[in-house]
Amino acid sequence: MNMSVRAKETIDACRFCWMCRHICPIGRATGQERNTARARALALSMVERGAEKLNSVAENLYECALCNACTHDCLTGWEPPAFTLEARREAALTGAMPAAIGDLVRRCMEWGNPFAPALPEETAKALREEERPSDTLLYLGESARYKSVASVRQALAVMKKSGAGFTVLAEEPSSGYALHFLTGDTEETVAQYKKCAQVLGQFKKIVVADGNDLLVMRRYYREAGVETAAETVSLWRFLSEQAGGRLRRGMQGAFTLQESCALARDLEEDDAHALAAALGEPAEMLLHGKECVFAGSLLMNEYIPETMACVAARRLEDAARAGAERVLVCDPSEYELMRANNAHGIEIVGLAEAVLEALS
Ligand code: SF4
Ligand code: SF4
């Protein structure tokens, strides 16, 4: 297998401490041993030694959410998701991808997103109404644009209410997140990074609504040598700076926060938590902040919907155990999947919606 020395060393460095078995959100949901960093490392070490073919372990590669929870706790000090991503790249380059993943990659190439050939009409209309000249761009991301009309509506409303001057793009380029997730940094992925960076470079500031897009723009563009002159900032940091001092405290009922793993863990941003704390006193779920637990991906929902339903439901169990009547959710994917798999009668609210309420 064509993998970096670092990835090969990570595969062989596993000390079988079992920590990733306890914290992997996919393993927690499915209860299957194969859904751990340890099991994936073992499978890939067999491929590396010629005892298995890559296509025989390929499906397992795409069951990892790349949430980095195992990196945070792995005894080796390495990043297990890095070898998963390199193996996905190898699968893409050698034709070992499962058919469902191949379909998603084709959609990314043909449609510019993995979900649909055109935007939902309500989203398209809302974006057309908000397109205007400005040096600040609200970048919504494809999960919200194609799969979460509510997240689009909430982000637009809270930006307007904050008093910020901004614009949106009816034809927003993909950040490259989906292609990166599915195939690693292939030539096609880097081409999407460059195309997006070029568009972003026409603005002074980019307010990014989805943590996964911000992670790609900040980390993977740099690693691929792609630069943009624009300043990138998460929606939560922007709102903290723009309107944090004007929020009315006093959210009713017990509530908790479902943070974005990309922001809280990978980018070490705690602005969403600061906003939630400005609204009242959030109850903390088991594992939060840098240890927060992934609660679902709309991209993965395209090929393993039952697992995503289970992942979201397990996180809602954490919220129920924390005594929360309401969960404030940062990412559009987790917002939609928690709403769709809510067996506890907990109110699921977008963090943007909660901030909007407190600004009214
Ligand atoms: S990155 Fe997340 S989903 Fe993947 S193995 Fe690690 S903990 Fe599990
Ligand atoms: S946490 Fe790291 S060292 Fe421990 S079993 Fe998992 S991959 Fe191996």
Side-chain angles (χ1 to χ4, degrees):
M1 231 182 353
N2 187 16
M3 294 180 90
S4 67
V5 173
R6 183 181 169 84
K8 287 179 186 169
E9 284 177 354
T10 308
I11 287 171
D12 288 332
C14 176
R15 295 186 203 154
F16 308 108
C17 71
W18 298 98
M19 188 56 86
C20 55
R21 190 189 204 188
H22 302 295
I23 45 116
C24 177
I26 311 294
R28 276 176 79 202
T30 65
Q32 291 195 30
E33 186 64 33
R34 66 186 241 148
N35 293 133
T36 60
R38 174 185 169 277
R40 205 165 287 114
L42 275 176
L44 287 173
S45 77
M46 288 171 78
V47 175
E48 187 55 26
R49 285 163 176 78
E52 280 288 356
K53 294 266 188 251
L54 183 57
N55 57 7
S56 68
V57 302
E59 278 188 8
N60 188 14
L61 294 178
Y62 299 90
E63 289 165 4
C64 170
L66 306 181
C67 74
N68 263 323
C70 53
T71 304
H72 193 262
D73 281 338
C74 180
L75 272 187
T76 65
W78 296 95
E79 293 177 43
F83 63 68
T84 304
L85 207 45
E86 284 200 30
R88 286 183 191 176
R89 183 177 187 277
E90 184 69 4
L93 295 176
T94 59
M97 279 186 300
I101 304 300
D103 283 346
L104 287 172
V105 171
R106 268 187 293 281
R107 291 187 203 172
C108 289
M109 303 299 295
E110 285 171 24
W111 299 341
N113 78 85
F115 301 118
L119 289 173
E121 187 42 43
E122 190 182 338
T123 296
K125 183 170 177 291
L127 296 181
R128 279 195 301 270
E129 285 168 5
E130 298 302 333
E131 231 178 350
R132 61 178 76 84
S134 173
D135 59 9
T136 299
L137 172 71
L138 171 63
Y139 184 93
L140 289 156
E142 52 213 18
S143 296
R145 284 164 56 90
Y146 290 91
K147 299 298 268 188
S148 182
V149 173
S151 297
V152 170
R153 220 176 22 231
Q154 291 168 19
L156 292 174
V158 76
M159 284 290 284
K160 280 199 271 190
K161 192 79 188 174
S162 76
F166 72 100
T167 189
V168 289
L169 295 172
E171 301 290 328
E172 186 182 89
S174 170
S175 68
Y177 165 71
L179 217 42
H180 166 83
F181 184 91
L182 298 168
T183 67
D185 284 351
T186 58
E187 267 178 40
E188 290 78 4
T189 310
V190 175
Q192 279 200 347
Y193 292 169
K194 286 181 180 163
K195 193 172 159 198
C196 187
Q198 202 174 21
V199 174
L200 301 186
Q202 296 163 18
F203 300 89
K204 198 168 161 194
K205 184 175 275 196
I206 315 295
V207 181
V208 186
D210 188 320
N212 290 317
D213 290 315
L214 188 62
L215 178 62
V216 166
M217 289 170 190
R218 290 255 183 94
R219 180 177 295 175
Y220 297 108
Y221 283 19
R222 191 185 61 234
E223 287 182 5
V226 176
E227 287 180 11
T228 176
E231 177 197 355
T232 53
V233 62
S234 73
L235 175 59
W236 316 124
R237 175 157 299 178
F238 184 81
L239 290 174
S240 287
E241 291 171 357
Q242 181 77 17
R246 288 185 278 134
L247 295 179
R248 186 165 32 82
R249 195 173 167 81
M251 177 166 282
Q252 299 301 308
F255 71 98
T256 189
L257 176 71
Q258 172 58 23
E259 290 158 278
S260 152
C261 295
L263 293 182
R265 181 159 42 242
D266 296 324
L267 295 176
E268 300 190 0
E269 281 201 3
D270 64 356
D271 304 271
H273 197 273
L275 280 174
L279 304 178
E281 280 185 31
E284 300 292 10
M285 275 191 271
L286 176 72
L287 301 177
H288 56 271
K290 284 185 194 169
E291 296 183 325
C292 64
V293 178
F294 164 81
S297 148
L298 287 167
L299 177 56
M300 295 176 80
N301 196 52
E302 293 289 307
Y303 59 94
I304 42 173
E306 293 86 5
T307 304
M308 287 302 103
C310 221
V311 163
R314 288 298 299 265
R315 192 51 170 159
L316 279 164
E317 285 169 18
D318 290 344
R321 269 193 291 273
E325 296 160 18
R326 187 185 259 202
V327 183
L328 312 186
V329 188
C330 297
D331 274 359
S333 275
E334 294 180 334
Y335 173 80
E336 290 297 335
L337 289 164
M338 287 176 121
R339 279 169 70 94
N341 298 286
N342 183 3
H344 296 273
I346 294 173
E347 192 184 357
I348 310 296
V349 181
L351 179 59
E353 191 180 1
V355 171
L356 179 69
E357 242 178 62
L359 271 171
S360 299

